[in-house]
Amino acid sequence: VARILELAGDLPIHFWLHDLFSICPNYLLLRNDREYCHAPLPNSNACNLCIYGTIRPLHYQKFSNLFSRYPIQVVAPSDFALELWCQKFPVFTGESQVVPNACLEWGEPVQKPETDSPLRVAFVGYPVLHKGWQAWLNLTNKFGEDPRYKFFHFSLDWQRSPNFEKVSVAVNRQNRTAMTEALRENEIDIAFLWSICPETFSYTLYESLAGGCYIVTNPASGNIQHTVITNPQWGSVFTDEDELLQAFDDGSILRSFEEFNLNQRRTARMIIDNNR
């Protein structure tokens, strides 16, 4: 890469923060591929406890050398991503900017009619550990037969379960709004976005908000939790899985959604740069 940059001469150089690979070879920042590590200092005890701890110092130094040597401008998809990266990569002192992958153009307020139908809750996205799949299985195993709730999984991958209904959705360049349309068509009330790694943007967040969904997440989810904390009317950030399960058990999640439905619920048009 350094040789390519030398050949570039005086051309501007932009570094896109799609993920956090420049901080650690484990770009999800999951200690031992299990939990968010918060990117401790290389060579720290907290870092050496991880399977990536032995290779991270050299990896980190190579990126440090690159940013020290060339006038690189950093471009991030969210304020959260840029702030986290600058905090964990203090060697960078150059220019930076935030360029979101998408934005929302909000419509008029909408309300779900009052009925006795169950709250419709959906896991949106791929069924993998770092997206919160295990927490989803725990939630649906406990409440799958509870008449207050009905659970769905929206994704390409087909994973059958008696605890939730599968809705197959294919988002591609020709149909970028397929997920939002599917959420609306199936009248989903709550989007379960329980990523356990710091998302730098999260399309599923924007798709779910555009679909008029209330967001449920946790403090490790990066830009998802940052967006909800900044706009608390859009969802809830639960401290951990125990607090999540308690909210479904005592019904407080129903009351949170009811308030959202009465006062804050809107759908939106998601505007995407199709060159991305």
Side-chain angles (χ1 to χ4, degrees), residues 104 106 189 205-206 209 213-216 227-236 260 264-266:
L104 297 176
W106 293 99
D189 301 315
L205 169 64
Y206 277 63
L209 289 172
C213 300
Y214 186 79
I215 307 301
V216 164
T227 301
V228 174
I229 289 174
T230 306
N231 304 276
Q233 70 275 17
W234 291 352
S236 294
F260 166 74
Q264 302 293 340
R265 194 174 202 185
R266 294 171 179 262

Side-chain angles (χ1 to χ4, degrees), residues 55-234:
I55 60 174
R56 185 181 173 214
L58 179 59
H59 176 92
Y60 189 87
Q61 187 59 51
K62 290 192 175 202
F63 271 99
S64 297
N65 294 342
L66 197 69
F67 279 89
S68 298
R69 184 174 176 181
Y70 299 98
I72 300 173
Q73 181 179 119
V74 171
V75 186
S78 67
D79 291 324
F80 169 84
L82 183 59
E83 290 170 9
L84 175 63
W85 187 83
C86 288
Q87 178 188 358
K88 301 300 180 179
F89 205 83
V91 69
F92 176 74
T93 58
E95 296 181 4
S96 61
Q97 63 174 313
V98 174
V99 181
N101 289 332
C103 62
L104 297 176
E105 188 177 89
W106 293 99
E108 295 298 316
V110 295
Q111 282 188 13
K112 176 182 180 180
E114 291 188 17
T115 65
D116 294 329
S117 60
L119 193 70
R120 299 167 75 85
V121 185
F123 182 101
V124 185
Y126 290 111
V128 291
L129 177 71
H130 67 270
K131 297 294 187 182
W133 185 247
Q134 187 57 56
W136 171 255
L137 294 179
N138 296 340
L139 177 69
T140 55
N141 284 341
K142 184 170 183 178
F143 298 104
E145 296 184 2
D146 191 317
R148 296 175 296 174
Y149 309 110
K150 184 173 178 59
F151 297 99
F152 300 80
H153 175 211
F154 284 67
S155 176
L156 262 180
D157 293 278
W158 194 268
Q159 295 221 2
R160 295 182 181 275
S161 169
N163 297 323
F164 52 85
E165 183 178 322
K166 181 70 177 65
V167 179
S168 185
V169 183
V171 178
N172 51 46
R173 193 175 182 85
Q174 289 70 43
N175 191 6
R176 301 294 293 267
T177 61
M179 183 65 78
T180 294
E181 292 167 5
L183 291 169
R184 290 177 183 172
E185 289 169 4
N186 288 273
E187 300 180 330
I188 298 303
D189 301 315
I190 291 182
F192 184 86
L193 305 181
W194 199 263
S195 291
I196 61 172
C197 63
E199 301 277 1
T200 57
F201 182 75
S202 179
Y203 274 111
T204 55
L205 169 64
Y206 277 63
E207 290 166 336
S208 299
L209 289 172
C213 300
Y214 186 79
I215 307 301
V216 164
T217 191
N218 69 85
S221 62
N223 192 48
I224 299 174
Q225 59 85 36
H226 180 268
T227 301
V228 174
I229 289 174
T230 306
N231 304 276
Q233 70 275 17
W234 291 352

Side-chain angles (χ1 to χ4, degrees), residues 6-68:
E6 288 176 4
L7 293 172
D10 294 331
L11 291 176
I13 303 168
H14 296 91
F15 185 83
W16 173 246
L17 280 178
H18 172 267
D19 54 44
L20 300 168
F21 181 73
S22 49
I23 295 176
C24 178
N26 178 0
Y27 61 91
L28 298 174
L29 300 186
L30 294 181
R31 179 178 289 115
N32 295 320
D33 295 325
R34 300 298 299 178
E35 61 180 358
Y36 181 31
C37 69
H38 298 274
L41 291 172
N43 291 320
S44 66
N45 288 334
C47 190
N48 289 330
L49 290 172
C50 180
I51 56 176
Y52 298 93
T54 57
I55 60 174
R56 185 181 173 214
L58 179 59
H59 176 92
Y60 189 87
Q61 187 59 51
K62 290 192 175 202
F63 271 99
S64 297
N65 294 342
L66 197 69
F67 279 89
S68 298

Side-chain angles (χ1 to χ4, degrees), residues 241-261:
E241 195 174 323
D242 288 339
E243 189 176 55
L244 167 75
L245 295 174
Q246 182 62 37
F248 276 78
D249 191 30
D250 63 23
S252 58
I253 188 65
L254 292 161
R255 294 187 289 275
S256 295
F257 172 75
E258 182 179 0
E259 182 179 351
F260 166 74
N261 182 52

